[in-house]
């Protein structure tokens, strides 16, 4: 099924910032309802957290977020305060007086939005009554053992109760994310409360389940028996809640065109508009600061590699590239299966071509473990011991050299180090001897024999042997700066890598390649991810800007794997200078993903947009030669020590940057077309 061009917010990138005075928000209240408010459990947390500042800038004191209360999150992330609005304060007091707990404060993130957090546990005594109300109203029954669905009903009932107390307040808009929050939307509409509602699905329930089961999902969208598939997976009640929220909302949105096609088949309603996810892009005052951050953080990763591969460090770290994949441990959905097969083929190509490039690949996916493994910890201890030994010998050497020069003598290099110094160094060398291969995983896995990544590593035979040009490190925990193994935050780690690889089969949006882009790190994505479709739509030659898009929609798995292998092999052939140029281009795409450019709004009592502007914009191919060998093989020499002398590619960074800025700032004019808002999309029809 060919994808038509989406009526997406990204088409509006390049608009001048709006005049705040033209936004009549004084008499409007905007509420955003999500399970992830102050509760980091998924990608939607990133959406609402990064969007908060832009929305607060637009709406000021009239914007509120609603979510579940968790004591630890509230104490560490929220500053308690009184509601600034008298109507909201009265509504919350009414709920408290009827035996339920609700907390109000400012969420301590950028923008510091107001949050209303309902205590699910304190209201659980109403569960049976609210289940009966849901059945009588919608004929949807919830099984007692599905705690997530039951908690969603409690939250939804509290949200609907809160808005009922606010019904005397005109012009209220509520924006709900995903089915967990959508229960409240269904109850609001069933009780005919006078307010506008928006529902956003970031991924359909059935889509995620079917893809996880290795179904040929996108080629059979119109063939699935939806009710039967949901029933067989015992999620029929959840599916009913999701579909009810979609059809009850005044405005239905989703995050990408590929998910819009999916929603049309799975939920039987076409989204009214596609609203891509953005990020809070922080621009650097110095042009090359993000390049400096890459170099600094790359050194930290190199230190880890020195320890992890001690005794087998026979490759040049200056010619070593760091690739990574990160996210939820959904082996097939995230494309880890294709990635591992492509790495096996990349290893073969690098060996056949006798390449001096080594690739170290990190898998950052949380799995069940019981601790760090001893071999990984020992490696870092050996590295530290070697460093301390080298520093000790260096101090002695430097002191003796200094004293000899003060006496006006050229020291005898054979005498400047004594026998004890050589003994210490020999002992340090012997300590690095290793009779086993460097471990593939950094932790003790609870399900080692059945783990999908480790099982496939055994199948393809990438065990970090000396002859392998591709090395694998499976880190089955999210990164932390307090880790004794790899003490880096996720952002620092991304900046230190050379390429992020995310060949997902099911990825409604895909924040991981987006995060790479705004940090100036090239990435691999697919045309089955919302991010990949968005970039294909807006960039004429994505690979020239460091966005490699694997075709997983119209090609077989074998062809997709070969394409991914070629992308990675071509990247390995780039010179250091070409990678620097490409990172500059990648970072310039960050404006496309900035919430400031995605949030375009003109509000006139929040009428739904009637006319869409179909004229779009695509980044042209860069004026200089694309750095990707896949696009221009003859212009890309192999990596060499004399690359800066031999590489005569014409490139004026300031001139190219100015061209890219013009492409971003003035793509087209809107004329009489109205503007959309990602921060709020609503309608005041009831």
């Amino acid at each position: 099924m060919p994808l038509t061009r989406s009526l997406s917010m990204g088409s509006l990138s390049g608009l001048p910032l709006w005049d705040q005075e033209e936004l009549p928000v004084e008499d409007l209240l905007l509420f955003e309802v999500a399970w992830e408010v102050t509760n980091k459990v998924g990608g939607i947390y990133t959406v609402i957290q990064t969007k908060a500042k832009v929305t607060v800038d637009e709406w000021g004191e009239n914007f509120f977020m609603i979510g579940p209360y968790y004591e630890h999150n509230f104490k560490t992330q929220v500053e308690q305060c009184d509601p600034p609005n008298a109507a909201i304060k009265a509504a919350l007091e009414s709920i408290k007086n009827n035996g339920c707990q609700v907390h109000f404060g400012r969420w301590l993130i950028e923008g510091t939005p107001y949050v209303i957090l309902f205590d699910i546990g304190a209201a659980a005594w109403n569960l049976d009554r609210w289940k009966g109300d849901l059945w009588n109203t919608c004929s949807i029954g919830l099984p007692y053992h599905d705690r997530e669905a039951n908690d969603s009903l409690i939250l939804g009932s509290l949200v609907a109760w809160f808005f009922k107390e606010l019904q005397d307040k005109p012009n209220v808009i509520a924006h709900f994310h995903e089915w967990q929050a959508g229960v409240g939307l269904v109850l609001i509409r069933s009780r005919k409360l006078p307010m506008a509602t928006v529902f956003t699905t970031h991924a359909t329930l059935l889509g995620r389940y079917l893809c996880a089961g290795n179904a040929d999902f996108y080629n059979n969208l119109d063939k699935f028996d939806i009710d039967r598939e949901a029933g067989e997976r015992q999620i029929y009640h959840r599916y009913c809640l999701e579909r009810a929220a979609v059809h009850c909302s005044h405005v239905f949105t989703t995050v990408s065109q590929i998910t819009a096609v999916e929603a049309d088949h799975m939920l039987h309603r076409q989204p009214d508009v596609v609203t891509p996810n953005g990020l809070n892009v922080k621009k650097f005052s110095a042009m090359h600061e993000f390049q400096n951050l890459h170099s600094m953080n790359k050194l930290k990763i190199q230190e880890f590699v020195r320890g992890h591969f001690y005794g087998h460090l026979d490759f040049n770290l200056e010619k070593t590239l760091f690739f990574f994949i990160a996210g939820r441990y959904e082996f097939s959905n995230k494309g880890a299966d294709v990635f591992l097969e492509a790495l096996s083929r990349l290893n073969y190509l690098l060996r056949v071509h006798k390449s001096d490039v080594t690739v170290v690949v990190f898998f950052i996916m949380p799995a069940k473990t019981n601790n760090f493994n001893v071999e990984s910890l020992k490696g870092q201890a050996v590295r530290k011991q070697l460093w301390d030994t080298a520093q000790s010998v260096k101090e002695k050497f430097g002191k003796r050299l200094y004293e000899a020069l003060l006496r006006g003598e050229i020291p005898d290099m054979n005498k400047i180090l004594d026998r004890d110094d050589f003994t210490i160094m020999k002992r340090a060398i012997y300590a690095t001897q290793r009779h086993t291969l460097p471990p593939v995983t950094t932790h003790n896995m609870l399900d080692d024999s059945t783990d999908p990544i480790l099982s496939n590593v055994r199948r393809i035979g990438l065990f970090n042997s000396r002859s392998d040009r591709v090395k694998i490190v499976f880190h089955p925990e999210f990164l932390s700066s307090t880790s004794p193994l790899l003490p880096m935050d996720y952002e620092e780690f991304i900046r230190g890598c050379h390429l992020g690889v995310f060949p997902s089969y099911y990825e409604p949006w895909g924040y991981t390649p987006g995060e790479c882009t705004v940090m100036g790190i090239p990435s691999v994505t697919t045309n089955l991810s919302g991010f990949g479709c968005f970039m294909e739509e807006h960039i004429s030659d994505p690979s020239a800007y460091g966005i490699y898009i694997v075709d997983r929609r119209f090609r077989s798995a074998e062809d997709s794997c070969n394409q991914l292998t070629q992308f990675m092999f071509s990247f390995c052939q780039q010179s250091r200078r070409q990678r620097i140029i490409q990172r500059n281009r990648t970072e310039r795409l960050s404006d496309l993903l900035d919430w400031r450019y995605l949030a375009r709004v003109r509000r006139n009592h929040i009428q739904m947009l009637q006319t869409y502007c179909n004229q779009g914009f695509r980044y042209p191919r860069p004026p200089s030669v694309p750095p990707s060998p896949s696009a221009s093989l003859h212009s890309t020499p192999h990596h060499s020590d004399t690359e800066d002398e031999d590489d005569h590619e014409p490139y004026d960074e300031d001139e190219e940057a100015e061209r890219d800025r013009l492409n971003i700032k003035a793509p087209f004019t809107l004329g009489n077309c109205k503007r959309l808002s990602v921060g709020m999309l609503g309608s005041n029809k009831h």
Side-chain angles (χ1 to χ4, degrees), residues 333-405:
N333 283 359
K334 297 299 182 183
D337 50 351
V338 174
F339 187 27
L340 281 165
E341 181 60 36
L343 288 175
S344 174
R345 301 178 187 189
L346 174 65
N347 185 55
Y348 172 78
L349 289 175
L350 292 175
R351 291 170 63 177
V352 166
H353 288 80
K354 301 187 185 320
S355 174
D356 57 357
V357 173
T358 301
V359 178
V360 177
V361 184
F362 293 87
F363 287 76
I364 313 295
M365 291 180 162
K368 294 180 180 179
T369 66
N370 59 19
N371 213 331
F372 301 106
N373 64 42
V374 174
E375 198 61 27
S376 295
L377 291 171
K378 180 183 176 182
Q380 300 308 314
V382 168
R383 177 193 62 79
K384 188 176 186 305
Q385 182 182 12
L386 276 175
W387 174 258
D388 292 341
T389 300
Q391 291 297 105
S392 174
V393 173
K394 185 181 75 171
E395 288 180 7
K396 291 181 180 179
F397 181 92
K399 183 178 180 180
R400 293 167 186 168
L401 176 62
Y402 172 65
E403 290 174 348
L405 293 177

Side-chain angles (χ1 to χ4, degrees), residues 28 95 169 180 269 276 302 315 342 398 420 477 489 556 628-629:
L28 308 176
I95 293 174
K169 178 71 178 176
Q180 294 97 326
R269 179 177 175 181
Q302 287 177 341
F315 50 91
D420 289 341
E477 275 188 1
D489 288 329
S556 65
S628 168

Side-chain angles (χ1 to χ4, degrees), residues 286-323:
M287 182 175 293
H288 298 290
E289 188 170 348
F290 80 95
Q291 296 279 12
N292 295 335
L293 288 172
H294 168 72
S295 299
M296 289 167 49
N297 290 297
K298 182 177 69 173
L299 293 176
K300 295 181 182 179
I301 299 176
Q302 287 177 341
E303 282 300 292
F304 167 80
V305 169
R306 288 187 176 100
H308 193 79
F309 291 91
Y310 83 92
H312 290 260
L313 203 64
D314 55 350
F315 50 91
N316 185 353
L317 280 176
E318 293 305 314
K319 295 184 178 180
T320 298
L321 302 180
F322 301 130
F323 295 0

Side-chain angles (χ1 to χ4, degrees), residues 48-58 110-113 280:
I48 59 179
Q49 182 202 37
T50 57
K51 188 176 61 167
K53 186 180 187 307
V54 173
T55 314
V56 170
D57 288 344
E58 294 176 20
E110 200 168 0
T112 58
N280 243 346

